[in-house]
Amino acid sequence: MIWFTEYWTENVGLTVKADQVKKIRSKYQEILVLDTPQFGKMLILDGLVQTTEKDEFIYHEMLAHPALLMHPNPERVLVIGGGDGGTVREVLKHSSVKEVHLCEIDEEVILISEKYFPSISEKLRDPKVKIFIEDGNEFLQERQNYYDVIIMDSSDPVGASEVLFREEFYRKVKSSLRHDGIMVAQTESPVLQEEYFSKAYREIRKVFRNVGVYLAYIPTYPSGMWSFTIASDFIDITDTTRNIEKVKELKTKYFCDSIYACLFSLPRFVQDIL
Ligand code: AG3
């Protein structure tokens, strides 16, 4: 057993007791798989916790379901990043979805997830899913007016993910969406990464007419308080009565109708950052 620490800032971190299961260096990053008594297996990229068996459902459900519910008929969905497969698994819970494209820059993440995280990656080989091993930023260039929902399941805005938090990128997202398309992104912690969070919000605002922020509690991410930013030009994404009857049909463990109904109720300090 070792002790592993993700340093959330220079002054605080998350430390877990773990067995090291696998460590490789891919073309893009260091990929580490730990087996921990507390959180089950954990996937760590360049020292940052991406997902754990124990709490992954919170993040993946909250990233996928609001946008898919707000869209009147989501058929074509793109996930950028998310090579572990958790977001794809949630997207496929919506029966209207006909095709899911997953654009992941690092194939090794997919292979590691398929080997060590079968319950997260289980739907990656579903016939509706098409995997593209490409840079998300370049991938969007070739697709105009195509998707109903685009989901950014990226890591922190450092290294390969940095471009995914910029205005130019969100413009590409917008032109790859159909006119009533919706995008949603994971946008970091408003407590410990206030700058990343408010920058993402600002840049998304420059590009889309309707923008909303919501939160979820994710124990293994910095501070636990995590943000998501959802946006659309055409759809009023703040109307959380939309398709609320469908929530009951979704097999989820965190997301539910009362969370959906109050999705945009934010603590005052978060409202003040926006
Ligand atoms: N992507 C968001 C991970 C961000 C975590 N940041 C951190 N630990 N500092 C997760 C990908 C899971 N599909």
Side-chain angles (χ1 to χ4, degrees), residues 6 48-50 59-60 84 153-154 156 186 193 221-222 226:
E6 174 184 338
L48 306 177
V49 175
Q50 300 299 312
Y59 173 86
H60 292 126
D84 53 79
D153 187 4
S154 62
D156 294 9
Q186 77 82 7
Q193 297 151 321
Y221 287 175
W226 207 252

